[in-house]
């Protein structure tokens, strides 16, 4: 009788338990602050001025992270229609629509994960940066009107090639202009030494996170894009804190040990792929299983790299924050993005690129203006475009995506 082929399985990352604690502490600290009436809470967009807010004593909450939780728990689908009914198009950011819909329904998936948490924390101020998209400003302004809370922010240039001194100066001035308003809300003056300390911690977190991601340059890779979408949690919600630094100081040696021991994240790794665009949050498990079974490792992504801020510098906090927030991949011109992916190819040695065309996030879908074709010509590697969405699963056909990915991996096989 033929022996049944053993199914490949996921390898547990031991640091994951510590990560869950960092995430739990983040949400409980916010919840406790609401109950106790302090410290004050600031909502911030993912690459908004979180370092400034922390230095001024605010606890920082990130609605985009809540959006991702709504997607990953597949509860987004219950809430998007509620936001559509109050005037938000199904075509706009499904983080926004699922988050606003959940708020209107008075629910949050956090209450299932964390005892005693019944709602997202009420803000004292909302602070956005339009570096990634206009949706975040509309999103925050909706809450500002609804909760009668001040909403302030930074308007960033888009489609930038090289980030020059003029852009840095203009953004830095906008960050500094936020200070008097924030001082009024927090009731305390900004301490520049505290800001330097927080920027220093944020830079340390970023350097460690970058080192974690770069372990995937090893062949075989000890870490996948799907691992990254989970383990990026502390870099997203706790950058600028010692807890985030401590977490990556724990995770990094574990991955280095995997490399030293020849342990791969994907057993028998045969193919290496780059993921461009947003994750499909509600299908992480299915997609990671599909790649695992195909012995293909998604080794790098623009998404997970978006929390790498190498420009941060404690000696020059305002200008370096401005540069770091503006050098972000999503802010840049196609030319700059292509050069970035070329550099990633040299480092991670991937043999193909998957572009996720995310229906409700044109800002982070890079396939629409010929980039796959241009990169195929420059890099001589194939690519595939899958259509889907970050949260709205009505835009994603699993059958079609699986067929496309399997055919793509066959194509990679044929090129070996
Ligand atoms: S970048 Fe995309 S996913 Fe993120 S908030 Fe903007 S539209 Fe939504």
């Amino acid at each position: 009788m033929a022996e049944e082929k053993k199914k490949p399985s996921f390898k547990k990352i031991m640091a994951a338990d510590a990560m869950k604690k960092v995430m739990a502490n983040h949400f409980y600290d916010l919840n406790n602050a609401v109950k106790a009436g302090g410290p004050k809470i600031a909502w911030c967009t993912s690459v908004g001025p979180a370092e400034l807010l922390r230095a001024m004593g605010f606890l920082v909450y990130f609605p985009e992270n809540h959006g991702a939780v709504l997607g990953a728990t597949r509860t987004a689908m219950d809430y998007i229609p509620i936001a559509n009914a109050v005037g938000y198009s199904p075509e706009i950011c499904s983080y926004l629509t699922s988050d606003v819909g959940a708020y209107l329904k008075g629910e949050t998936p956090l209450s299932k994960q964390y005892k005693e948490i019944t709602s997202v924390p009420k803000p004292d101020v909302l602070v956005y940066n339009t570096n990634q998209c206009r949706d975040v400003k509309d999103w925050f302004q909706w809450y500002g009107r609804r909760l009668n809370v001040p909403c302030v922010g930074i308007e960033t240039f888009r489609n930038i090639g090289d980030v020059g001194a003029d852009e840095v100066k203009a953004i830095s001035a906008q960050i500094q202009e936020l200070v008097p308003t924030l001082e009024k809300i927090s009731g305390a003056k900004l301490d520049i030494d505290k800001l330097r300390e927080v920027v220093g911690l944020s830079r340390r977190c970023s350097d460690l996170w970058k080192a974690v991601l770069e372990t995937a340059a090893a062949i075989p890779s000890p870490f996948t894009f799907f691992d990254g979408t989970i383990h990026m949690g502390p870099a997203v919600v706790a950058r600028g804190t010692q807890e985030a630094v401590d977490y990556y100081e724990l995770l990094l040696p574990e991955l280095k040990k995997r490399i030293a021991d020849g342990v791969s994240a994907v057993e028998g790794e045969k193919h290496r792929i780059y993921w461009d665009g947003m994750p499909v949050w509600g299908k992480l498990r299915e997609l990671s299983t599909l790649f695992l079974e195909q012995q293909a490792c998604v080794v790098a992504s623009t998404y997970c790299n978006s929390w790498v801020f190498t420009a941060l510098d404690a000696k020059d906090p305002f200008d370096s924050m401005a540069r770091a927030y503006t050098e972000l991949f999503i802010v840049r011109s196609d030319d700059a993005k292509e050069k970035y992916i070329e550099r990633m190819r040299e480092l991670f040695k991937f043999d193909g690129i998957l572009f996720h065309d995310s229906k409700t996030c044109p800002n982070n879908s890079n396939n629409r203006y010929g980039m796959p074709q241009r990169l195929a010509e420059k890099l001589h590697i194939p690519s595939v475009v899958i259509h889907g969405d970050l949260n709205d699963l009505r835009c994603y056909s699993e059958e079609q995506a699986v067929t496309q990915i399997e055919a793509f991996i066959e194509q990679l096989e044929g090129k070996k």
Side-chain angles (χ1 to χ4, degrees), residues 392-412:
D392 191 341
L393 293 177
R394 292 170 300 185
C395 307
Y396 177 72
S397 159
E398 185 147 40
E399 206 177 319
Q400 200 180 330
V402 169
T403 308
Q404 277 183 288
I405 291 168
E406 284 177 350
F408 180 55
I409 291 170
E410 245 173 63
Q411 190 186 353
L412 297 181

Side-chain angles (χ1 to χ4, degrees), residues 152-169:
V152 290
I154 302 158
E155 309 284 338
T156 294
F157 314 96
R158 301 290 315 275
N159 300 315
I160 304 175
D162 291 329
V163 179
D166 288 348
E167 283 101 2
V168 170
K169 221 164 104 194

Side-chain angles (χ1 to χ4, degrees), residues 36 38 47 64 69 96 104 121 147 151 163 170 177 185 214 220 251 275 287 337 342 346 349 364 370 374 396 410:
V47 190
E64 284 153 79
V69 175
L96 183 165
L104 288 171
L147 302 171
C151 180
V163 179
E177 276 163 24
I185 298 165
E214 287 181 359
L251 176 62
W275 183 289
L287 283 165
K337 287 177 180 175
E342 281 178 59
E346 274 170 34
K349 313 250 177 314
N364 216 357
R374 288 193 297 275
Y396 177 72
E410 245 173 63

Side-chain angles (χ1 to χ4, degrees), residues 137-213:
K137 180 176 174 182
D138 281 84
W139 186 358
F140 277 37
Q141 285 181 331
W142 183 85
Y143 278 107
R145 290 189 296 271
R146 177 97 189 172
L147 302 171
N148 197 23
V149 166
C151 180
V152 290
I154 302 158
E155 309 284 338
T156 294
F157 314 96
R158 301 290 315 275
N159 300 315
I160 304 175
D162 291 329
V163 179
D166 288 348
E167 283 101 2
V168 170
K169 221 164 104 194
I171 303 299
S172 176
Q174 288 191 56
I175 303 172
Q176 291 175 62
E177 276 163 24
L178 296 174
V179 172
T181 307
L182 295 173
E183 283 179 338
K184 227 184 263 170
I185 298 165
S186 74
K189 284 264 168 225
L190 170 66
D191 174 350
I192 193 74
D193 290 329
K194 181 71 192 163
L195 180 60
R196 288 183 204 286
E197 184 194 324
V198 176
V199 169
L201 284 168
S202 203
R203 172 64 192 271
R204 178 82 188 123
C205 171
S206 160
D207 288 352
L208 285 161
W209 176 235
K210 181 170 180 279
V212 162
L213 293 172

Side-chain angles (χ1 to χ4, degrees), residues 64 93-96 132-136 139 278 330 360-364 390:
E64 284 153 79
C93 176
S94 58
Y95 275 171
L96 183 165
Q132 54 193 96
C133 62
R134 65 158 283 173
D135 300 56
V136 287
W139 186 358
M278 299 295 293
I330 197 169
T360 71
C361 180
N363 311 286
N364 216 357
L390 47 136

Side-chain angles (χ1 to χ4, degrees), residues 225 273-280 291 298-306 329-330 334 337-338 340-342 344 350 352-358 361-369 371-372 375 383-388 408:
F225 159 67
I273 295 169
Y274 185 86
W275 183 289
D276 181 79
M278 299 295 293
V280 186
F291 283 103
V298 182
V299 289
S301 69
T302 33
Y303 184 73
C304 291
N305 282 6
S306 297
F329 182 88
I330 197 169
D334 271 16
K337 287 177 180 175
E338 284 165 33
Y340 176 85
I341 294 176
E342 281 178 59
M344 292 299 106
F350 43 82
I353 306 178
L354 182 151
F355 287 88
H356 172 205
D357 187 341
S358 190
C361 180
N363 311 286
N364 216 357
S365 298
N366 294 300
N367 60 295
R368 298 183 186 182
Y369 297 90
M371 191 187 289
L375 280 175
S383 62
V384 65
V385 177
I386 63 159
H387 296 275
F408 180 55

Side-chain angles (χ1 to χ4, degrees), residues 227-389:
D227 296 325
T229 59
I230 308 300
H231 289 269
M232 67 196 273
V236 173
V237 304
R239 77 175 201 264
T241 70
Q242 187 62 46
E243 287 73 25
V245 169
D246 291 346
Y247 176 63
Y248 294 113
E249 279 177 345
L250 183 73
L251 176 62
L252 183 58
E254 183 179 342
L255 297 177
K256 284 189 173 165
K257 182 158 188 326
R258 277 191 177 188
I259 296 174
D261 296 346
V263 175
S264 58
V266 167
E267 202 57 58
E269 175 192 297
K270 274 164 84 183
H271 308 291
R272 298 167 65 84
I273 295 169
Y274 185 86
W275 183 289
D276 181 79
M278 299 295 293
V280 186
W281 285 111
K283 292 289 171 183
L284 287 184
R285 184 80 191 173
E286 289 79 355
L287 283 165
S288 54
T289 304
L290 173 65
F291 283 103
L292 185 76
E293 288 175 353
Q294 298 286 327
Q295 293 176 291
C297 183
V298 182
V299 289
S301 69
T302 33
Y303 184 73
C304 291
N305 282 6
S306 297
W307 278 264
V308 171
F309 305 111
T310 43
L312 288 176
D313 180 354
K315 290 197 288 302
D316 189 9
F318 284 107
D319 282 10
S320 74
M321 280 190 284
R323 180 172 286 282
Y325 303 160
T326 313
E327 279 182 347
L328 203 61
F329 182 88
I330 197 169
V331 189
R332 312 295 291 282
S333 65
D334 271 16
D335 199 35
K337 287 177 180 175
E338 284 165 33
K339 284 192 187 128
Y340 176 85
I341 294 176
E342 281 178 59
R343 288 198 300 279
M344 292 299 106
R345 169 86 202 293
E346 274 170 34
L347 180 61
F348 290 99
K349 313 250 177 314
F350 43 82
D351 11 79
I353 306 178
L354 182 151
F355 287 88
H356 172 205
D357 187 341
S358 190
K359 173 78 176 165
T360 71
C361 180
N363 311 286
N364 216 357
S365 298
N366 294 300
N367 60 295
R368 298 183 186 182
Y369 297 90
M371 191 187 289
Q373 290 74 10
R374 288 193 297 275
L375 280 175
E377 228 169 81
K378 279 187 212 159
L379 301 177
H380 309 291
I381 55 171
S383 62
V384 65
V385 177
I386 63 159
H387 296 275
D389 192 52

